[in-house]
């Protein structure tokens, strides 16, 4: 049997590329930054179903996702928490878009119903 623990041809051992230490080792503000990202992502998802909140959630989630990508481009940790923040921000953004469209149609339908009621009352009064 061969001994696979030794390197062949005196080559140095290969180091892992892209290795990042566990959180909090180098960046002391990691937990604070991630808490802020996660809070904004959860709030944007929570308010995305409200009539005016859908527009606020859309803007909040877009800015939060841009901040997350900026943090990562500056060398921040790409951990599971950051991935969850990014996914929730994306979900809040698309839910905000969807619910904004939904509430727009909702308002349009009820506005049309109200207009038909007004025109119906006005046509009966004119007789």
């Amino acid at each position: 049997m061969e001994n696979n623990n030794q390197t062949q041809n005196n080559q140095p051992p290969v180091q892992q590329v892209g290795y990042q230490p566990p959180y909090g080792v180098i960046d002391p503000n990691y937990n604070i930054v991630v808490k802020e990202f996660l809070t904004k992502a959860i709030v944007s998802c929570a308010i995305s179903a409200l009539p005016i909140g859908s527009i606020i959630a859309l803007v909040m989630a877009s800015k939060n996702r841009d901040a997350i990508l900026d943090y990562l481009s500056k060398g921040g940790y790409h951990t599971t928490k950051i991935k969850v923040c990014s996914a929730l921000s994306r979900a809040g953004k698309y839910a905000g878009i969807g619910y904004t469209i939904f509430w727009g149609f909702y308002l349009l339908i009820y506005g049309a119903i109200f207009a038909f009621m007004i025109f119906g009352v006005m046509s009966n009064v004119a007789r």
Side-chain angles (χ1 to χ4, degrees):
M1 260 201 221
E2 293 181 25
N3 187 0
N4 292 329
N5 293 332
Q6 295 178 357
T7 58
Q8 296 176 349
N9 301 332
N10 295 327
Q11 293 178 351
V14 178
Q15 292 183 355
Q16 214 175 9
V17 177
Y19 172 74
Q20 294 179 350
Y23 3 121
V25 175
I26 294 177
D27 187 8
N29 296 328
Y30 171 79
N31 289 329
I32 296 168
V33 170
V34 171
K35 181 180 178 187
E36 184 178 322
F37 288 153
L38 191 58
T39 302
K40 288 181 181 178
I42 290 172
V43 167
S44 69
C45 285
I47 66 171
S48 65
L50 300 174
I52 303 299
S54 63
I55 299 168
I56 296 169
L58 172 64
V59 172
M60 182 187 292
S62 296
K63 287 183 180 179
N64 192 37
R65 180 131 162 66
D66 290 341
I68 291 169
L69 294 176
D70 185 47
Y71 171 77
L72 291 175
S73 70
K74 291 181 180 177
Y77 298 130
H78 196 257
T79 60
T80 305
K81 284 185 179 181
I82 293 291
K83 291 177 186 178
V84 169
C85 294
S86 179
L88 284 175
S89 292
R90 184 176 283 178
K93 177 181 177 180
Y94 292 128
I97 291 170
Y99 276 112
T100 300
I101 293 169
F102 170 76
W103 288 114
F105 280 125
Y106 189 83
L107 183 65
L108 184 66
I109 289 171
Y110 274 99
I113 291 171
F114 184 72
F116 290 141
M117 287 176 18
I118 295 295
F119 291 139
V121 168
M122 289 176 66
S123 68
N124 282 337
V125 171
R127 289 186 188 184

